[in-house]
Amino acid sequence: MVMTTSASVPAGSESPVGGSVTDRLVEANGRYATEFADPGMDARPVQRVAIVACMDARLDLHAALGLNLGDCHTIRNAGGVVTDDVIRSLTISQRALGTRSVVLIHHTNCGMESLTEEFRHELELEVGQRPAWAVESFRDVEQDVRQSIERVRTSPFLLHSEDVRGFVFDVKTGRLHEVTPA
């Protein structure tokens, strides 16, 4: 099996008919839609699991975890950090759509390890308004996974907090390393 990515497309390159990256994505969707068939499922994940992971483009969660369309809810953000908005999504996932398990996935060599809250200050100086959100950067990926596990387990909004597990995905090997909670 040959794995292809769009990484070889130079930044700023034009699509064959001209246009932007978004234009290429819309074109690809047109090709996809010609062979699309309604899978006949609803929004309830078959495996009753919600996965919270970093938005890093190197993480192909479905392939890495052996998942198919419809198996899980996937919630992604910078760092895979459990924020108020992640709790909001998990609450909806559990209470309205039946998930019972939560899997948290951070990864090695994460860009959030090099940012600080100074990022917010720089934004404020640039745009004249301080962001309402925290950067949620971290120095120790395993400790941040532990913190995320604790945030899920202690949220009063979540019905199911007994099956919460956290992992670090190694971007060089593709392997998960489980993090022991505090």
Side-chain angles (χ1 to χ4, degrees), residues 63-177:
L65 302 173
L67 295 167
N68 293 310
L69 180 67
D71 280 349
C72 68
H73 283 159
T74 306
I75 304 160
R76 296 182 79 157
N77 67 22
V81 177
V82 175
T83 61
D84 287 345
D85 193 58
V86 168
I87 294 294
R88 171 189 157 275
S89 293
L90 288 172
T91 301
I92 293 166
S93 178
Q94 286 189 358
R95 290 179 176 265
L97 298 165
T99 59
R100 298 293 178 262
S101 300
V102 178
V103 174
L104 306 170
I105 301 177
H106 286 33
H107 65 90
T108 59
N109 196 26
C110 184
M112 294 304 290
E113 293 174 298
S114 62
L115 286 177
T116 66
E117 287 298 318
E118 181 66 19
F119 182 76
R120 290 174 71 214
H121 178 69
E122 292 166 1
L123 280 173
E124 181 179 16
L125 291 175
E126 180 182 331
V127 302
Q129 181 178 341
R130 187 168 186 84
W133 40 264
V135 174
E136 296 277 357
S137 60
F138 48 86
R139 295 278 181 246
D140 181 335
V141 67
E142 288 196 16
Q143 181 55 34
D144 201 69
V145 171
R146 284 185 195 93
Q147 179 176 303
S148 291
I149 291 169
E150 188 64 19
R151 284 179 176 174
V152 171
R153 286 186 173 167
T154 60
S155 173
F157 305 109
L158 299 175
L159 294 171
H160 306 284
S161 58
E162 58 282 348
D163 188 13
V164 180
R165 293 172 63 186
F167 301 85
V168 176
F169 177 88
D170 188 315
V171 297
K172 299 289 187 206
T173 68
R175 293 202 179 272
L176 289 176
H177 162 72

Side-chain angles (χ1 to χ4, degrees), residues 32-50:
Y32 171 79
T34 62
E35 297 182 23
F36 181 80
D38 180 356
M41 59 180 72
D42 66 17
R44 295 176 183 274
V46 172
Q47 297 205 24
R48 299 173 73 174
V49 62

